[in-house]
Amino acid sequence: SQQGEEDPQALSIQEGENATMNCSYKTSINNLQWYRQNSGRGLVHLILIRSNEREKHSGRLRVTLDTSKKSSSLLITASRAADTASYFCATVPSGGYNKLIFGAGTRLAVHP
Amino acid sequence: AAGVIQSPRHLIKEKRETATLKCYPIPRHDTVYWYQQGPGQDPQFLISFYEKMQSDKGSIPDRFSAQQFSDYHSELNMSSLELGDSALYFCASSPQVNTEAFFGQGTRLTVV
């Protein structure tokens, strides 16, 4: 990966359970974003958290950011089978860069 | 709502041939990105444009080039294709630098 690691690489849960995915990155950032990808399809933006924010919510999603540890977590509450997908974090490096650097992704399987 | 359009969706080329991938960003988006995603891999940043000017470059082989035209569409040109170039190629656009990116459905390139 150009960025760092995501943890876990794969996660299998039952509907209704919560899913937590973690992401680590290497450089100082402007912001961090989470994306979802269904198999072989385009990536869909879920949420953006800026470097001066610590937590953000959007519907069933909760994202935290710890810039001192260079890490972020994505929590999906009350998961549904339709949440089955790969989830990637992506960072925008600070310093005027115009790019998103993706982590390795977590494959989430939610079983009915 | 208009999305990012990529063409073609699928492309089969032989080794040493040339391929041209096209991307039509969302209207009034000023930033375009190109990514390469191998099977089971995270998206790798290739190149970005801001207002039709190249703004950032990633791990893009010298055999690849890209440009953005006056009508804002972008093309990724790939020459002397190798088997290892087989991948999904995504284009994305953003309404502003360092904000959320909207991805197209990708072009699946197979080099045989």
Side-chain angles (χ1 to χ4, degrees), chain A residues 31 37 41 92 98 100 103, chain B residues 35 37 42 48 55-56 98 105:
Chain A
N31 65 66
Q37 183 180 36
R41 306 290 297 273
V92 174
N98 187 16
L100 285 163
Chain B
Y35 286 85
Q37 187 178 30
D42 53 293
S48 63
S55 57
D56 234 315
N98 297 337
Q105 289 301 300

Side-chain angles (χ1 to χ4, degrees), chain B residues 17-68:
Chain B
E17 284 193 318
T18 296
T20 297
L21 280 53
K22 296 186 178 183
C23 169
Y24 298 85
I26 294 172
R28 292 178 294 281
H29 280 198
D30 60 18
T31 297
V32 167
Y33 307 94
W34 284 97
Y35 286 85
Q36 177 192 61
Q37 187 178 30
Q41 303 296 311
D42 53 293
Q44 296 288 307
F45 172 71
L46 294 177
I47 196 166
S48 63
F49 294 88
Y50 172 70
E51 283 294 340
K52 296 170 282 185
M53 299 290 290
Q54 180 184 310
S55 57
D56 234 315
K57 213 168 180 182
S59 48
I60 182 169
D62 292 340
R63 300 177 289 106
F64 294 9
S65 65
Q67 56 183 322
Q68 189 174 21

